[in-house]
Amino acid sequence: MPSQIQTADGELTKEAERYRLMAEGQLISRCMARQGYEYIIRTPPEGALTVHAPALFRTLDPAEARTHGYGNPDDGTDKVQRFVSEDPNAAYAASLDGDRRIGYDKALFGSKEKEIAISLPDNENITTNTDGCTSEMRRALYGTDLAAYLRNDYIADNLDLAVHQRVTADPAYTKALARWQRCMRDRSHHFDDPGAAVSTAIKTREARTRPAPTEIAIAVADGECRTTSRLSTTLEQLTRTYRERLAKSRARQLDANRRARADAVQRAGNLLTGA
């Protein structure tokens, strides 16, 4: 059991979040074993436990860029993507034949016959099965109302995405981005946005211990253009505005999700020790 479950703002500590995710894996593994299947419990990477600002949202000092290029632009996404793509459970499922493979999927995810629909903000909808080991784990940790838990969990996990969608659709952002694009073209660099600039630049690294000249050139121009176009300040202002609005309009769901996750950590201690 973690020594501290929540931070001052109600979020789980890193220790508690790791404990929660590991508890989910252990409960699923127990359930799958009862049905004759393996399920490997995995330790989530650090990138899955920490929120990082994407490259698009960062300020970039041209003076630093002249020496270090983009430095370390990793926002944790690569680690999370590798964690998902290299899942040994997927490899195990793929190794099963015929009815065993079908049975594995049904045991883990449930059946279409017991599917429910969940309405979300922004006219989105998701579906989930109410049977299977994943749903059994969710009921054990988060309570019997799967629809309410999953709705709140989805809203919390996708808050950054909802903010990003609103920011990048705002006219103030599109105008600043257009200024950035013109500034970059004046320096002979043609990119849609800073994210594309970063992606192109770091591909030139290969096995180098220092940034390649191409990366330096792109990074310096990018840093100067983010400043002169006011793209960085515009992004900061819009992000703050939309995050405050969404946090306020979705406060009930966000608070409920924080409570559910904290309660799950407490509950997991009893479930995993058999108390």
Side-chain angles (χ1 to χ4, degrees):
M1 177 69 70
S3 58
Q4 182 180 349
I5 294 179
Q6 290 176 288
T7 62
D9 58 3
E11 301 295 340
L12 293 185
T13 63
K14 286 185 182 180
E15 183 186 11
E17 177 65 356
R18 188 177 297 278
Y19 185 81
R20 179 181 75 90
L21 295 175
M22 293 296 290
E24 288 186 351
Q26 289 185 53
L27 291 175
I28 290 175
S29 181
R30 289 181 181 182
C31 176
M32 293 295 284
R34 291 197 303 270
Q35 301 187 57
Y37 296 102
E38 294 180 15
Y39 186 86
I40 300 168
I41 304 165
R42 308 175 69 203
T43 303
E46 184 65 26
L49 306 176
T50 306
V51 176
H52 300 271
L56 175 63
F57 287 79
R58 294 177 187 159
T59 56
L60 180 63
D61 182 359
E64 287 287 319
R66 287 187 179 90
T67 303
H68 304 292
Y70 281 106
N72 179 17
D74 180 26
D75 60 3
T77 303
D78 288 345
K79 292 180 181 178
V80 175
Q81 288 177 341
R82 286 196 299 273
F83 183 73
V84 173
S85 64
E86 297 171 3
D87 185 359
N89 292 302
Y92 169 72
S95 72
L96 301 175
D97 294 325
D99 291 343
R100 284 279 293 167
R101 173 59 192 271
I102 295 172
Y104 176 91
D105 289 343
K106 186 173 182 179
L108 181 57
F109 300 115
S111 56
K112 284 281 187 180
E113 292 77 13
K114 296 186 178 181
E115 188 177 75
I116 57 172
I118 302 167
S119 297
L120 301 168
D122 300 331
N123 297 315
E124 293 183 277
N125 292 283
I126 57 174
T127 58
T128 189
N129 301 325
T130 58
D131 58 342
C133 289
T134 300
S135 289
E136 179 179 307
M137 173 275 294
R138 288 169 174 164
R139 279 191 294 269
L141 284 179
Y142 304 106
T144 57
D145 191 341
L146 283 180
Y149 162 70
L150 288 172
R151 184 174 192 274
N152 296 337
D153 191 62
Y154 184 93
I155 289 172
D157 282 346
N158 289 276
L159 184 64
D160 286 340
L161 176 60
V163 171
H164 178 78
Q165 290 171 336
R166 285 159 174 76
V167 167
T168 53
D170 191 289
Y173 165 78
T174 56
K175 290 177 182 177
L177 181 62
R179 293 193 298 268
W180 178 88
Q181 291 169 338
R182 288 194 298 271
C183 177
M184 291 293 282
R185 285 198 300 271
D186 290 343
R187 290 162 172 76
S188 301
H189 301 296
H190 301 266
F191 299 107
D192 291 336
D193 56 46
V198 173
S199 178
T200 298
I202 62 176
K203 287 178 182 177
T204 66
R205 290 184 176 182
E206 298 178 352
R208 293 172 177 266
T209 57
R210 294 173 58 84
T214 298
E215 177 180 344
I216 295 290
I218 294 173
V220 170
D222 185 7
E224 293 172 345
C225 290
R226 292 192 202 191
T227 299
T228 59
S229 68
R230 302 190 301 280
L231 180 60
S232 291
T233 55
T234 299
L235 280 166
E236 290 172 3
Q237 292 167 357
L238 290 175
T239 299
R240 184 164 52 251
T241 296
Y242 283 112
R243 182 174 295 281
E244 289 174 354
R245 289 181 188 176
L246 284 176
K248 183 177 181 180
S249 66
R250 302 179 182 184
R252 182 172 58 83
Q253 293 87 357
L254 295 173
D255 287 343
N257 188 66
R258 292 188 191 98
R259 289 194 302 273
R261 291 185 177 188
D263 290 346
V265 174
Q266 296 275 16
R267 197 174 289 126
N270 292 330
L271 290 170
L272 298 179
T273 58

